[in-house]
Amino acid sequence: ELGLYSHFMQKEIHEQPQAVAATAEVFLDGGFVPENFGSNAREVFQSINSIKILACGTSYYAALTAKYWLESIAKIPTDVEIASEYRYRDVIADPQQLVITISQSGETLDTMEALKYAQSLGHCHSLSVCNVMESALPRASSLVLYTRAGAEIGVASTKAFTTQLVVLFGLAVTLGKLRGHIDAEREHAHTEALRQLPGSIQHALNLEPQVAAWAQKFAQKSSALFLGRGIHYPIALEGALKLKEITYIHAEAYPAGELKHGPLALVDENMPIVVIAPNDALLDKVKANMQEVGARGGELFVFTDLDSHFEAAQGVHLIRTPRHTGALSPIIHSIPVQLLAYHAALARGTDVDKPRNLAKSVTVE
Ligand code: F6R
């Protein structure tokens, strides 16, 4: 079943061009139409005033990324919450809010209970983004769109995450179009971006030898910091989670602008710092944040795309990711952080597919 691969995680990382292409097909063949999400989705999408996304772990980071798309492309106020927190607090119900749950397994207990709680409060519109057909969450939701990642066996989620992002991007474009925020030209640009995505992911996968060389250094460390800004901040969070889960190295992620409000105190020459820094509107801000770190002796490992005018320097290592892919850039930058964690785990000899203390599907509280 593993074929040429050593681990399911490695296989699943490399399956992402096909998994993403299969998931994107819904929008590429059928267009950005509400019916992709269910026969009554048009009516629901026209009536909602806001979105709440509930999820856990990596699926929660997909939700954080989606918030940027839903607000910038679809112009719908979107709020994201960890399911295990939502289910235990006093929530102000809003029947015009669409509640989205995101789950690879569709069986995560906290996410399921959060959905039931929302429904008990009178939230009637629910959408499930899920990878397992007919699992608990899609069965309990009025609308559903499945990711087509195929079975994910490695405990650390990889292809489920990037395919969730494809569905959520498609949702944002669908809502933006339906609600009159996207003209034909923009829609065409989004379609083309989605069409080219699998190829760009393949280019990112080709960086594996360079990323593996970095990973040897990380394997020696006891701690690492991940930085990003804007839509790349959730990818920094995901990178830190992947590293923690499979290497047991302590890792934290921060929006780079928060450094001086505390975490800068952690930085010295023993602290590797991963920066997700593609050429977007925030690049100059990120560069300034990097100088703050560099001045304290921190070693910087920067993922930046071909368009950014960055130079490697003393204490600054660069890997160039494929040419900037606009709104889909977070999907591309998921790949190198997955590879970094995978190769650091290999170097440390941990059980990559079955990290200690973790289960693939968390059906207990
Ligand atoms: C991380 C990971 C977990 C899951 C989380 C939610 O690599 O796999 O954080 O993302 O347990 O699981 P699902 O998506 O099945 O609800």
Side-chain angles (χ1 to χ4, degrees), residues 56-60 102-108 111 137 152 155-158 164 238 241-242 245 359-362:
C56 303
T58 288
S59 296
Y60 170 71
I102 307 175
S103 176
Q104 187 285 130
S105 61
E107 302 287 348
T108 299
T111 312
L137 280 157
E152 191 181 64
V155 164
S157 187
T158 53
Q164 285 166 351
E238 171 62 2
L241 179 63
K242 287 288 94 97
E245 278 185 294
K360 181 67 187 159
S361 183
V362 185

Side-chain angles (χ1 to χ4, degrees), residues 284-324:
D284 286 339
K285 302 279 177 202
V286 175
K287 281 184 177 171
N289 300 140
M290 284 170 48
Q291 277 164 5
E292 295 164 2
V293 174
R296 275 93 186 162
E299 198 172 357
L300 290 155
F301 296 84
V302 187
F303 293 113
T304 190
D305 56 54
L306 289 166
D307 297 326
S308 71
H309 304 284
F310 242 122
E311 300 294 332
Q314 177 73 19
V316 185
H317 312 280
L318 288 188
I319 289 182
R320 295 221 182 252
T321 48
R323 195 161 290 287
H324 194 54

